[in-house]
Amino acid sequence: MKMSKMFVQTLREYPSDAEVISHKMLGRAGYIKKLAPGIYTFMPLMWRVLKKIENIVREEMDRAGAQELLMPFVQPKELWEESGRWEVYGKELMRLKDRHDRDMCLGPTHEEIITSVARDSLKSYKQLPVNLYQIQSKFRDEIRPRYGLLRGREFIMKDAYSFDIDEAGLDKEYKNMAQAYKRIFDRCGLETKMVQSDSGAIGGSVSHEFMVITDTDAGENDVFYCNSCDYSANSNHAVSKLADREVDRKEFFNETKIVDTPNTHSIEELCEFLKIPSTLILKSLVYIADKKPVIALIRADKAVEETKLMNAVSGVDIRIASSAEIAELMSEKGFDAVPGFIGPKGMNGIKIIADETVRDMKNFVVGINQTDKHLVGANLSDLGIELNYADIRLVQQGELCPQCGKPLYVTKGIEVGNIFKLGTKYSKPMNAVYTDIEGKTHPYIMGCYGIGISRTAAAAVEAHYDEYGIKWPVSIAPYHAVIVPVNINDELQMHTAQKIYEDLLNAGIEVVLDDRDERAGVKFKDADLIGFPYRVTVGKTITEGLVEYKVRETGEQEKYTPEQAVKILIQNIKNNLK
Ligand code: ATP
Ligand code: MG
């Protein structure tokens, strides 16, 4: 490719709305062009990167025994009604009507479609197991599209779905996919951690996420991990042991009574006023889960993890209640307390979930739905309510590993892929069954396996960059090398550069010749920004028969004859692609 012909425009500035490295770099280097929030054109350089990632994914999925197909992007409502998700999916599902007024949606994921494809074709146990995948644009009307390709509305995903006759088959395929994922991300030059995760709207019981651990701001997920054993989980799912020393067992109240606690709206103010540690306070929080109020109780030195709470009430949508919703609940129950003084007493009929930290609290302080008052020296028996216990606690750094008891650490991660055991979540309601050897029918045991192709590209930038630009891993770089003649009007320089370019092309190397009539500084800047893994510069030293060879990743530079440079380049690129 001649740089003078290449359809790319590098910019002086980062895009004004870019907050994270990958969005800044991909925007400035001309890889992506925004059309609307979360919707981008993949420019030629970007498309080359995406196709490379897709091909690695294809090769490894095929090697793992999966088969590629392509399902429609626009889907009819009826299938989503069969699975029950038309109601619960929420606003991320982009719904539309066709000219006959039929409800349709843009595919955010394809469980319904693949399950209907399977039930029409996979009738006998003899046809199973099967794993089918596709690589396709998805649309999710994300509430906060941001970070460029990391959280788009339209993005490319690989989604795979497996069908087995039993759990043992699913187990085997789940492991098979985990191994394929490891190979995929390794080949893309990405180090990932496989962490236990919650399965969110897709449902099911067991799931893992593949996280690129990053020290940039782009990591949206907290990952808790143990250095002494293999435990790692995202914050939606992480559990921990608490150290005994956390709770001060000193007796503060030996009598149960209501006391005045004026203006103590926050836990800090209440601790200050009563001169007590926060571990003595039972905190009551009101959430709205699937439109109904839920009260979460937790020891006040800890925080509630919303997804865990949502799972505890088997909900699909959860958020903290607004002051107006709290006021409404209060009036419904005949109280008029303001937030800060809410408590579980008298809340019969409302679902109350207590975190495990509540279990052994004694003589504690709790709101009783009277403004400026709290009950002190309280015990669970004083509350007169029925509690459901669940682990709804957000793990914090320093708490102890649930497996081995050593301290847990927390880091940020970008989720590039995930694997789920779906079981019969879709096959049962959609009546997608196979016939066993005795002629009895059973729903398929399913798994699903996603990889964000466009997110993986952006994550690779987050993991490989410097102040000058991107440092693509060779395997997914848009081109392997760039040849830069310093002065295109110098015949020897241009001739040598042209020769190197052709030799590399002939060897199957993807190479760009920067034949633009620009200053060397401009060409070097663009080469670094775009992130070609290798650069060969043909400048003045060509009169001594030497060119400069430079490795983008390490900055290593060496002078070679043109023939040596070509040979070393071919060797290094081939080694990297193995
Ligand atoms: P997240 O929690 O980050 O929104 P998710 O749990 O919704 O991800 P899945 O539904 O399992 O993700 O989708 C599979 C993969 O698709 C994810 O692992 C991720 O790599 C990618 N992905 C999901 N949402 C987006 C998005 N808005 N933009 C780009 N890639 C995405
Ligand atoms: Mg999502």
Side-chain angles (χ1 to χ4, degrees), residues 89 92 108-109 140 142 149-153 155-158 202 209 220-221 415-418 420 450-456:
Y89 206 98
E92 271 187 32
T109 173
R140 292 184 184 177
E142 297 274 356
L149 300 192
L150 286 173
R151 185 168 297 285
R153 291 198 291 161
F155 58 96
I156 304 179
M157 196 204 288
K158 184 281 299 181
I202 292 187
E209 291 172 347
E220 288 191 288
N221 305 76
E415 179 201 323
V416 284
N418 54 29
F420 291 92
I451 289 182
I453 303 284
S454 42
R455 185 183 283 180
T456 297

Side-chain angles (χ1 to χ4, degrees), residues 502-517:
E502 273 158 27
D503 287 350
L504 290 173
L505 279 183
N506 290 337
I509 302 298
E510 298 170 27
V511 59
V512 171
L513 175 67
D514 195 347
D515 58 342
R516 293 174 301 167
D517 193 4

Side-chain angles (χ1 to χ4, degrees), residues 411-480:
T411 180
K412 289 281 179 195
I414 301 171
E415 179 201 323
V416 284
N418 54 29
I419 56 179
F420 291 92
K421 285 189 181 176
L422 293 173
T424 57
K425 181 169 162 64
Y426 295 91
S427 50
K428 219 180 197 164
M430 294 184 68
N431 195 28
V433 298
Y434 68 92
T435 310
D436 69 14
I437 197 161
E438 284 153 9
K440 282 204 213 102
T441 58
H442 310 270
Y444 314 123
I445 310 296
M446 291 172 57
C448 77
Y449 317 91
I451 289 182
I453 303 284
S454 42
R455 185 183 283 180
T456 297
V461 178
E462 297 288 336
H464 301 278
Y465 73 96
D466 65 10
E467 59 189 303
Y468 305 110
I470 305 171
K471 297 176 164 185
W472 289 114
V474 176
S475 59
I476 60 171
Y479 291 91
H480 302 137

